[in-house]
Amino acid sequence: NSEARRQFGGDARLPTEAEWEYACRAGSRTALSNGKLTIKGKNNGPELDEVAWYGGNSSVGFELSNGYDCSGWPEKQYEGTKAGTHPVAKKTKNPWGFYDMHGNVWEWTKTPAHSYATNIEPDGNIFIRRGGSWWHEDKNCRVSRRYASDRSKKTSGLGLRVVIRENIE
């Protein structure tokens, strides 16, 4: 946090799950920050195309030869053979100016998984991630989707978003 204070004039941390959802919703009450989600197939949610990289479109414009083989993914919105993460801000931002809240990479929160679920024992390393990723089906990219996972897990579909609290004097 001392580096964050020096660079940004505030403290940097992961958002709570509630903060993440609040920022993603951006005042909406719908499945996506830009409205409803129509599911036409496992990887075909047309409204996601505007705001997210997900299993239905993450092969579009993907240029790395070592990308993940997505040729067998069912019911894709677009055809393609290789998929992966994309640079931030290539899709439309939400009404509050946040890019990539849906899809591209799951984002860690600082909320332990046992906070809400009574059937999960406190583990110390199981936390909630939100947002879906480039390889996930359309239904996993909706605002309300949450997933508990071991924070030691590392994949190309996991990332983070930090909250910076400015020092106000």
Side-chain angles (χ1 to χ4, degrees):
N1 269 347
S2 61
E3 179 63 20
R5 276 190 221 97
R6 187 184 67 72
Q7 275 193 312
F8 304 109
D11 290 325
R13 62 173 173 77
L14 290 175
T16 65
E17 186 178 11
E19 288 170 330
W20 187 95
E21 185 165 331
Y22 184 74
C24 184
R25 281 195 184 282
S28 75
R29 293 178 177 223
T30 52
L32 304 175
S33 59
N34 64 328
K36 67 177 184 158
L37 173 61
T38 306
I39 296 177
K40 293 185 171 187
K42 284 190 172 201
N43 291 296
N44 191 349
E47 295 86 3
L48 276 169
D49 199 34
E50 180 184 336
V51 295
W53 297 109
Y54 76 108
N57 69 2
S58 60
S59 63
V60 174
F62 189 80
E63 299 174 6
L64 298 176
S65 61
N66 64 342
Y68 187 85
D69 179 7
C70 66
S71 58
W73 291 356
E75 305 171 272
K76 289 189 292 194
Q77 185 175 0
Y78 298 99
E79 290 304 314
T81 58
K82 297 285 185 182
T85 57
H86 287 259
V88 173
K90 298 296 182 186
K91 295 290 185 179
T92 304
K93 60 188 170 188
N94 79 7
W96 290 356
F98 295 109
Y99 289 96
D100 298 310
M101 296 294 292
H102 302 284
N104 213 16
V105 296
W106 283 100
E107 296 179 1
W108 288 114
T109 71
K110 73 179 212 172
T111 304
H114 69 274
S115 297
Y116 299 113
T118 56
N119 61 339
I120 298 177
E121 291 294 320
D123 173 292
N125 211 31
I126 307 296
F127 288 82
I128 300 297
R129 59 186 187 179
R130 301 292 298 264
S133 77
W134 62 269
W135 81 75
H136 277 93
E137 297 174 3
D138 42 23
K139 66 182 180 181
N140 287 323
C141 296
R142 65 189 193 281
V143 176
S144 61
R145 180 68 168 116
R146 55 196 305 269
Y147 190 78
S149 187
D150 187 321
R151 200 175 271 168
S152 65
K153 183 175 184 171
K154 293 171 181 47
T155 75
S156 63
L158 288 171
L160 57 93
R161 181 179 304 265
V162 296
V163 173
I164 308 276
R165 188 190 64 170
E166 295 184 47
N167 291 329
I168 301 171
E169 297 178 25

